[in-house]
């Protein structure tokens, strides 16, 4: 029921809804980022949302995909716990509880109705880490199973670039394959990975003219719809400074010693506490990784190294909490999992800690059920049969441009799903033009040479 409510996420009306409408109406459009830079924020999730919105059948666009994923992954996290069968705590069990806690946070629950990309990207990372731990706990050495998880990591990258560091795990199956000289398997894995990521890269080029948006440094295509390099660079820096809570692109070069205290103050006690934990654990983790490598415990060192790199990658690029709260919490949770696993192996403590673990699990389940019932009691009469539509409270006015109507928000930068096509910035329109005669042909910056 959470996903049937009216979407309220800020970015949904900034660009999510319009991006989905473009996919529903035209698929992929050349130079769409010229109309609004955020339309170039390519994500495979938006394509999935466009496909499963059923706008072609329902005469409205459904936005319940995150709700489906929530149900699926919540069920996975609960139904596959091994503690009930094996009567001891596993690292994978702790990570599953962490997954369930993340899915039950107010930030996730309150935004399930919005087609944002953050949740799917983060739960894919968590799922990969959970299954990776389970394979290690089972003593599995089959490179195919680890390789499949790495390919899932490639899928995660096509959802959100911030998940890229999960691909550090590819070292394990790669080393196994190289040692065994399985050339066919190596090329097969590379081929499948390329097949997965290629549509994402192609869409990047079509939407913006760049292979990876918003990174203009990777500039290898000379197409007439290419976005202005200065705009791409500005967008990239803006993402970073907003994540750092500086809110001023001119402060992009501020050192971490300057912006981190500002970040901690702006984000509040909970996130600051997690950040302090990571700062304390970071040098410890580096020592532990080195020790495990020395002891030839390569699987453990790779796993912890991946967790550290995920955190650092998020911190040094765009450390907005909703982009990477999972990365922020992973290191402390991982050490807690190791501690609980060791304690549960002690027969004197086994029953006590198992009961504590089960109690916390029941508290989590009870909280979620209570919140769900409270919400359902309010929404069941409204949205039990048909989910709510996108909000129509954002008013727009139309202007004539290139012989057609373009909608501009009356206030702020947010518009509705219905006001299509739309751009939040009217000052953009004099700078761009249609590539040919129709919207389906795309947009380009003025004074660029047309390429047929």
């Amino acid at each position: 029921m959470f996903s049937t409510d009216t979407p309220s996420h800020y970015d949904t009306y900034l660009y999510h809804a319009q991006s989905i409408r473009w996919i529903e109406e035209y698929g992929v459009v050349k130079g769409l980022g010229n109309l609004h830079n955020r339309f170039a924020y390519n994500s495979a999730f938006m394509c999935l949302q466009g496909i499963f919105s059923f706008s072609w059948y329902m005469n409205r666009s459904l936005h319940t995909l995150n709700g489906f994923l929530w149900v699926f992954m919540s069920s996975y996290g609960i139904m596959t716990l091994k503690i009930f069968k094996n009567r001891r705590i596993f690292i994978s069990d702790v990570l599953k509880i962490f997954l369930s806690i993340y899915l039950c946070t107010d930030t996730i629950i309150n935004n399930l109705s919005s087609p944002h990309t953050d949740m799917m990207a983060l739960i894919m990372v968590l799922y990969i880490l959970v299954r990776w731990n389970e394979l290690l706990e089972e003593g599995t050495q089959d490179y195919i199973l680890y390789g499949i998880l790495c390919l899932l990591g490639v899928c995660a990258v096509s959802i959100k670039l911030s998940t890229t560091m999960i691909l550090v795990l590819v070292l394990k199956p790669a080393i196994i394959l190289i040692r065994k000289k399985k050339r066919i398997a190596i090329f097969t894995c590379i081929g499948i990975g390329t097949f997965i990521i290629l549509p994402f890269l192609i869409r990047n080029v079509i939407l913006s003219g760049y292979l990876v948006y918003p990174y203009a440094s990777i500039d290898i295509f000379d197409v007439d719809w290419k976005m202005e390099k200065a705009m791409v660079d500005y967008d990239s820096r803006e993402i970073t400074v907003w994540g750092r809570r500086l809110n001023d692109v001119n402060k992009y070069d501020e050192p971490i010693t300057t912006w981190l205290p500002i970040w901690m103050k702006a984000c509040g006690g909970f996130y600051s506490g997690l950040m302090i934990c990571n700062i304390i654990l970071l040098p410890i983790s580096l020592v532990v990784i080195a020790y495990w490598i020395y002891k030839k415990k390569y699987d453990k060192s790779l796993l912890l190294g991946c967790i550290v790199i995920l955190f650092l990658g998020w911190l040094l690029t765009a450390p907005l909490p909703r982009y990477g709260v999972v990365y922020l919490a992973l290191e402390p949770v991982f050490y807690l999992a190791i501690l609980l696993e060791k304690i549960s192996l002690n027969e004197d403590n086994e029953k006590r800690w198992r009961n504590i673990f089960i109690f916390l699990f029941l508290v989590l389940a009870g909280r979620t059920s209570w919140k769900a019932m409270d919400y359902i009691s309010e929404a069941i009469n409204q949205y039990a049969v048909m989910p709510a539509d996108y909000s129509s409270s954002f008013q727009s006015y139309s202007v004539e441009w290139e012989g057609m109507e373009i909608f501009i928000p009356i206030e702020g930068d947010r518009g509705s799903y219905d006001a299509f096509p739309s751009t939040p910035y009217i000052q953009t329109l004099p700078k761009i033009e249609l590539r040919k005669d129709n919207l389906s042909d795309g947009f380009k910056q003025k004074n660029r040479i047309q390429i047929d």
Side-chain angles (χ1 to χ4, degrees):
M1 296 298 295
F2 297 112
S3 64
T4 62
D5 201 356
T6 304
S8 57
H9 196 290
Y10 190 97
D11 286 356
T12 292
Y13 301 100
L14 180 62
Y15 72 97
H16 293 160
Q18 285 280 312
S19 293
I20 292 167
R21 181 77 182 268
W22 277 103
I23 293 169
E24 293 168 345
E25 299 282 347
Y26 297 101
V28 59
V29 176
K30 294 175 181 176
L32 186 59
N34 288 305
L35 181 63
H36 180 18
N37 62 296
R38 288 177 175 84
F39 292 158
Y41 289 0
N42 182 26
S43 171
F45 180 80
M46 288 299 177
C47 298
L48 288 174
Q49 184 65 51
I51 292 170
F52 292 104
S53 67
F54 298 106
S55 61
W56 54 272
Y57 178 73
M58 303 287 293
N59 200 29
R60 65 161 53 181
S61 183
L62 301 184
H63 43 78
T64 53
L65 191 55
N66 270 331
F68 169 79
L69 293 170
W70 188 92
V71 171
F72 183 81
M73 293 307 298
S74 295
S75 301
Y76 167 78
I78 294 171
M79 301 301 293
T80 62
L81 286 170
K82 296 190 288 185
I83 186 173
F84 300 106
K85 180 179 178 180
N86 298 84
R87 300 189 178 280
R88 52 161 290 204
I89 300 173
F90 291 86
I91 291 176
S92 61
D93 279 345
V94 178
L95 291 178
K96 287 174 185 177
I97 291 296
F98 174 45
L99 169 63
S100 300
I101 290 173
Y102 169 67
L103 290 172
C104 293
T105 57
D106 288 340
T107 300
I108 293 299
I109 294 295
N110 294 337
N111 288 299
L112 268 183
S113 59
S114 296
H116 63 92
T117 61
D118 302 316
M119 189 188 85
M120 184 175 184
L122 291 176
I123 63 176
M124 287 182 74
V125 168
L126 271 176
Y127 174 78
I128 291 168
L129 292 175
V130 167
R131 284 295 297 138
W132 197 277
N133 269 281
E134 286 185 323
L135 293 177
L136 295 179
E137 290 161 358
E138 295 161 4
T140 302
Q141 290 300 319
D142 188 347
Y143 67 87
I144 294 178
L145 297 178
Y146 292 103
I148 290 172
L149 289 177
C150 291
L151 292 174
L152 186 60
V154 178
C155 292
V157 173
S158 72
I159 300 294
K160 205 169 183 71
L161 282 174
S162 59
T163 65
T164 301
M165 297 305 171
I166 193 67
L167 296 181
V168 170
L169 294 176
V170 79
L171 286 172
K172 180 178 175 66
I175 290 172
I176 294 175
L177 289 172
I178 291 170
R179 283 179 174 174
K180 293 185 176 182
K181 299 181 179 179
K182 293 186 174 291
R183 295 181 179 85
I184 295 177
I186 291 173
F187 287 111
T188 299
C189 290
I190 293 173
I192 295 173
T194 302
F195 178 77
I196 291 171
I197 201 65
L198 196 58
F200 169 74
L201 298 176
I202 292 173
R203 272 183 55 85
N204 274 332
V205 176
I206 294 174
L207 292 172
S208 68
Y210 296 91
L211 188 66
V212 182
Y213 186 87
Y215 299 103
S217 57
I218 309 176
D219 185 3
I220 57 179
F221 297 97
D222 186 19
V223 290
D224 69 324
W225 63 83
K226 184 183 294 184
M227 295 175 62
E228 187 180 359
K229 184 178 184 299
M231 178 69 247
V232 179
D233 288 335
Y234 181 90
D235 199 10
S236 178
R237 293 188 172 208
E238 186 178 47
I239 293 170
T240 299
V241 296
W242 275 86
R244 294 173 178 174
R245 293 295 202 239
L246 297 176
N247 302 343
D248 183 355
V249 175
N250 294 321
K251 297 181 180 179
Y252 175 79
D253 293 322
E254 295 283 354
I256 190 171
T257 52
T258 299
W259 64 257
L260 188 57
I262 297 172
W263 183 95
M264 295 176 72
K265 182 178 179 180
C267 291
F270 176 72
Y271 294 116
S272 296
L274 286 176
M275 181 63 73
I276 291 170
C277 285
N278 277 276
I279 292 172
I280 294 172
L281 289 173
L282 183 58
I284 296 174
S285 293
L286 297 178
V287 172
V288 171
I289 290 169
Y291 175 75
W292 280 344
I293 292 174
Y294 173 75
K295 289 292 185 179
K296 298 183 178 180
K297 296 180 179 181
Y298 301 121
D299 287 333
K300 287 186 174 181
S301 61
L302 177 61
L303 189 60
L304 181 55
C306 180
I307 289 172
V308 170
I309 291 173
L310 280 167
F311 164 70
L312 290 176
W314 165 79
L315 178 67
L316 299 176
T317 53
L320 196 66
R322 69 177 173 87
Y323 292 166
V325 63
V326 166
Y327 310 140
L328 186 59
L330 259 177
E331 201 172 1
V333 168
F334 185 69
Y335 279 107
L336 176 64
I338 293 174
L339 177 62
L340 291 176
E341 184 182 55
K342 288 188 178 297
I343 291 175
S344 71
L345 291 174
N346 187 322
E347 293 182 1
D348 296 333
N349 294 323
E350 177 186 346
K351 186 175 181 180
R352 180 195 315 162
W353 281 95
R354 187 175 72 248
N355 290 340
I356 291 174
F357 191 84
I358 293 173
F359 172 75
L360 293 174
F361 165 75
L362 292 175
V363 169
L364 174 66
R367 179 189 180 277
T368 306
S369 300
W370 180 265
K371 191 174 183 65
M373 290 303 296
D374 182 57
Y375 182 88
I376 289 172
S377 64
E378 296 179 7
I380 193 167
N381 293 329
Q382 289 181 283
Y383 310 131
V385 177
M386 179 63 69
D389 206 347
Y390 288 100
S391 174
S392 57
S393 61
F394 300 99
Q395 300 299 312
S396 301
Y397 66 95
S398 64
V399 297
E400 186 177 344
W401 177 81
E402 300 270 322
M404 63 186 65
E405 275 191 325
I406 299 288
F407 292 90
I408 311 293
I410 292 176
E411 293 184 7
D413 54 7
R414 291 182 293 172
S416 67
Y417 170 88
D418 294 324
F420 178 84
S422 173
T423 180
Y425 312 119
I426 192 171
Q427 61 268 31
T428 298
L429 297 180
K431 302 175 183 178
I432 64 174
E433 61 186 345
L434 288 175
R435 293 183 64 248
K436 295 181 180 177
D437 299 323
N438 301 307
L439 287 175
S440 58
D441 296 317
F443 306 83
K444 67 174 184 175
Q445 295 287 321
K446 284 188 175 179
N447 303 319
R448 285 192 66 90
I449 298 173
Q450 176 133 350
I451 299 174
D452 293 323

